[in-house]
Amino acid sequence: MIPLSFTHVIVGGGLSGSLALIELLRKYTAPISIAVLEESPHRLFKGKAYSADVSVQVLNVPADHMSAYWDQPLHLVQWLEARGLNYGASDFIPRQLYGSYLAETVHEALGTHPQHRVQFFMERLEAIQPDGHNGYALRSAKHDFTAQHVWIATGNFSPADLVSDTEVVQHPNYLGDPWRGAGLRFIPNGASILLVGTGLTMVDQVLSLQAQGHHGAIYALSRRGFYPQPHQSSPAYSWFADYAGIPTNPLSLLQLVRSEVQRAAELGIPWTSVVNDLRTYTPMLWQQWDLSQRQQFLRHVRPYWEVHRHRLPADSIAALNNLEQRGQLMRFAARLENVAATEKGFCVRFVPRGARSAQTLDVNWILNCTGPQSLGKKLNEPWIQSGIANDLLKSDALQLGIELGTKANNRLHLIGPPRKGSSWESTALREIRQQVKEEVAKI
Ligand SMILES: Cc1cc2nc3c(=O)[nH]c(=O)nc-3n(C[C@H](O)[C@H](O)[C@H](O)COP(=O)(O)OP(=O)(O)OC[C@H]3O[C@@H](n4cnc5c(N)ncnc54)[C@H](O)[C@@H]3O)c2cc1C
C-alpha cells in the first residue's frame, strides 16, 4: 500500500485532537497537510466527554474558563451570546452544547485557513514506528500514513473492571464503562442499581437516571463515600508562590494546605481559592516527587484532592442530596469485596468503612463509575504495543499513562490524559490547552 503523506497526523479527534488541529491551522501561513484519525465517527470534535446526548450532563467548569482558544478567554461566552443562548460567563453549560461549540469552532478554523489540506479518517490507529527520516509511519486497518509530526491525543482509557469474574463483567446488566454506548436507556425505571464510585461520573449517571424518570433504588458506594465538593465563588488568592522553592512531600503539602485554608478563612477567603492557586503548581510538584512520594500521594492524599479539586455545580450536589433525603439514593462508604451474578442481577458483598464484617446487597444493575483506568491492562492495545516495541513509547512507573521512549524525537507529541504519569493534572481543558500551546510553539 502506498502511504498517504502528511505534515501532521493527529490520532484522536476529541477535545485534545481538536485543540491541536485548531492551533496547527493557525500556526502555519504556508500550506501544510493534516490528517485526523478518529475511531468513532460520533465522537469527532467532541471525544467521550462532549458527545453526551442528554442535556442534564453539564460542564464542571464555568463557561468563562472553557474557551477553545488560550488567547481568547471569552470565546465560548461570546459564542453563546452570538447564538442568543441564555447562558452567562459563570454558567455551567450542558456538555452536549459544549460539543457543538467545539465542532463549530473547528469548522470555523478550517474555513478561516483554507490553504491547508485537512483529511479526516474514521479509522483506528493500529501501529506506529519511525519512518527512517525523522518522522513516523502509521497504520490503520485501511491505510498506511507517513507524517513529519504525530500527535497522540487518544484520551482516557476505560475504567478497570470491578471484578475478574467473566460471568459478572460480561453480564448484560453490568455497564463497565458509562461513557460507552447508550447503556442507561436500557435500564427499566423501577430497577435497583449500584453505582460503584461516588465522583463526577457517578453524579452524571444519577442525574441522567433521574432525567429519564428512574424511580427504583439507587445505591452508590466508594471507599470513603465522598461526593465532589460544590463550586462556590472563589476570588483569586495567590499563596503557593512563596513555598514553590521549598521541597515538600504529599503529607507535608497537605498540612501546608490545611494551615493556609485556616489563614485564608480568617481573611474571609474560601478554601476553594487556596486549592485553585495550588492547581497551577501541581505538575511541578508531581515532577519533583520521587516514585514513593507519588505513591504516597495516590494512597493517602488523592481521595481528598479529587473531591476538592474536581468540583461540581452546586445544583448537581443539591439534586443528589434531595434524592438521598427522599430515600431513593443511598450512599455507602465501604470496600467492595465481591460481586456474584444471580438470576435477577447481582449479589454484592461489601465491608462498610470501620466495620469488621461484610454486608450483602442484591441489585439488578451495576454501573462502574470508578473513573478512567490506569494504563495497566491496556498495554496490550496494538498501537501502544507497537510504540513500545519501537522504543517510541513506554509506560510510566505507576502505569498512569504513557511517556515518550528513547527513539521518540520532538516530532512525537503527547497531549491530554495519556500524559498523566508525567504531569498528573492532564485531563481538563486548561491543562490540555496549555500543553497544545507549548507543543506547537516547539515546532
Ligand atoms: C464526563 C466528563 C466531564 C468532564 N467535564 C469537564 C469539564 O467540565 N471541564 C474540563 O475542563 N474538563 C472536563 N472533563 C475532562 C476533559 O475535558 C476530558 O478528559 C477531555 O475531553 C479529554 O479529551 P481527549 O481528546 O484527550 O480525550 P477523549 O475525549 O477521550 O478523545 C479521545 C479520542 O481518541 C479516539 N481514539 C482513541 N484511541 C484511538 C485510536 N487508536 N485510533 C483512533 N482514535 C482513537 C477516541 O475515540 C476519542 O474520540 C470531563 C471529562 C469527562 C469524562
Side-chain angles (χ1 to χ4, degrees):
M1 210 185 304
I2 298 173
L4 305 170
S5 177
F6 292 90
T7 324
H8 291 265
V9 169
I10 301 172
V11 185
L15 174 75
S16 302
S18 299
L19 295 186
L21 175 57
I22 292 171
E23 281 304 308
L24 290 172
L25 291 169
R26 294 209 287 172
K27 178 178 175 81
Y28 294 88
T29 38
I32 57 155
S33 55
I34 305 176
V36 178
L37 268 66
E38 168 53 60
E39 63 174 332
S40 308
H42 76 280
R43 290 204 197 133
L44 187 62
F45 309 136
K46 301 177 179 181
K48 272 188 177 182
Y50 310 113
S51 46
D53 55 3
V54 288
S55 58
V56 291
Q57 299 182 350
V58 294
L59 293 182
N60 309 318
V61 176
D64 59 353
H65 284 67
M66 288 296 290
S67 167
Y69 289 102
W70 57 268
D71 52 354
Q72 298 169 50
L74 292 182
H75 187 261
L76 170 60
V77 177
Q78 286 154 359
W79 183 88
L80 292 164
E81 258 169 33
R83 274 146 199 82
L85 295 164
N86 197 18
Y87 294 105
S90 58
D91 287 332
F92 300 92
I93 68 167
R95 288 213 305 276
Q96 189 185 35
L97 181 60
Y98 189 72
S100 305
Y101 161 72
L102 279 178
E104 249 187 77
T105 305
V106 174
H107 281 116
E108 205 178 270
L110 290 167
T112 316
H113 304 278
Q115 74 274 28
H116 304 310
R117 175 171 65 91
V118 183
Q119 276 181 266
F120 298 94
F121 297 86
M122 296 303 101
E123 296 167 22
R124 180 176 179 73
L125 174 70
E126 294 196 336
I128 176 167
Q129 62 184 76
D131 70 354
H133 306 284
N134 273 337
Y136 296 94
L138 303 110
R139 202 186 67 234
S140 72
K142 293 190 194 151
H143 294 101
D144 287 341
F145 304 86
T146 59
Q148 292 168 28
H149 290 261
V150 172
W151 297 73
I152 302 286
T154 47
N156 284 309
F157 298 108
S158 299
D161 284 331
L162 295 173
V163 288
S164 54
D165 183 349
T166 50
E167 216 190 325
V168 171
V169 296
Q170 288 171 10
H171 194 292
N173 293 11
Y174 172 88
L175 301 186
D177 180 0
W179 306 118
R180 211 165 256 283
L184 284 193
R185 291 213 202 101
F186 299 111
I187 301 182
N189 280 346
S192 56
I193 310 173
L194 171 69
L195 292 92
V196 181
T198 56
L200 301 177
T201 305
M202 170 266 173
V203 178
D204 256 357
Q205 302 303 310
V206 171
L207 296 183
S208 301
L209 284 166
Q210 193 186 23
Q212 69 184 34
H214 195 84
H215 54 77
I218 304 175
Y219 305 94
L221 178 151
S222 70
R223 289 222 171 194
R224 290 180 171 77
F226 294 153
Y227 283 159
Q229 292 287 320
H231 279 290
Q232 55 178 299
S233 170
S234 310
Y237 179 69
S238 171
W239 68 278
F240 193 74
D242 295 342
Y243 300 94
I246 302 170
T248 54
N249 63 52
L251 296 180
S252 70
L253 181 65
L254 189 59
Q255 275 172 352
L256 197 60
V257 172
R258 281 197 174 127
S259 55
E260 192 62 33
V261 165
Q262 264 180 4
R263 206 151 64 103
E266 284 158 19
L267 302 170
I269 306 280
W271 64 266
T272 44
S273 298
V274 176
V275 171
N276 289 355
D277 185 54
L278 189 60
R279 180 173 168 190
T280 313
Y281 301 93
T282 329
M284 180 200 82
L285 288 165
W286 182 257
Q287 278 150 21
Q288 280 172 1
W289 290 340
D290 61 22
L291 185 60
S292 71
Q293 290 172 323
R294 290 179 186 186
Q295 282 168 325
Q296 191 182 47
F297 172 85
L298 294 179
R299 211 172 310 121
H300 301 295
V301 184
R302 179 187 192 168
Y304 301 94
W305 176 250
E306 298 281 8
V307 294
H308 289 87
R309 148 75 184 87
H310 298 281
R311 297 191 290 271
L312 273 184
D315 287 352
S316 303
I317 294 294
L320 289 197
N321 289 336
N322 186 22
L323 283 174
E324 278 197 23
Q325 274 155 21
R326 286 189 355 223
Q328 190 186 353
L329 171 63
M330 282 144 281
R331 184 170 23 149
F332 300 104
R335 177 170 50 82
L336 186 71
E337 215 177 53
N338 188 41
V339 181
T342 63
E343 210 176 305
K344 291 190 176 165
F346 307 95
C347 177
V348 180
R349 202 168 73 230
F350 60 92
V351 182
R353 200 166 172 77
R356 290 206 174 150
S357 51
Q359 293 182 10
T360 57
L361 179 70
D362 288 308
V363 288
N364 304 127
W365 288 74
I366 291 184
L367 262 71
N368 181 358
C369 301
T370 52
Q373 184 189 348
S374 62
L375 189 58
K377 289 196 305 187
K378 295 288 171 176
L379 281 169
N380 56 8
E381 291 237 353
W383 71 269
I384 297 180
Q385 278 204 336
S386 88
I388 291 175
N390 287 294
D391 283 336
L392 295 178
L393 303 173
K394 61 179 185 193
S395 127
D396 65 271
L398 291 167
Q399 295 201 339
L400 294 171
I402 307 170
E403 288 178 351
L404 295 182
T406 51
K407 297 251 172 74
N409 60 19
N410 57 5
R411 293 173 166 203
L412 185 56
H413 308 272
L414 211 52
I415 48 172
R419 255 166 79 160
K420 205 167 178 181
S422 49
S423 313
W424 179 248
E425 285 284 354
S426 197
T427 55
L429 170 83
R430 174 172 147 178
E431 280 78 21
I432 298 173
R433 210 173 42 192
Q434 181 65 19
Q435 290 171 3
V436 170
K437 179 185 164 196
E438 287 168 6
E439 291 294 311
V440 168
K442 286 187 212 158
I443 296 169

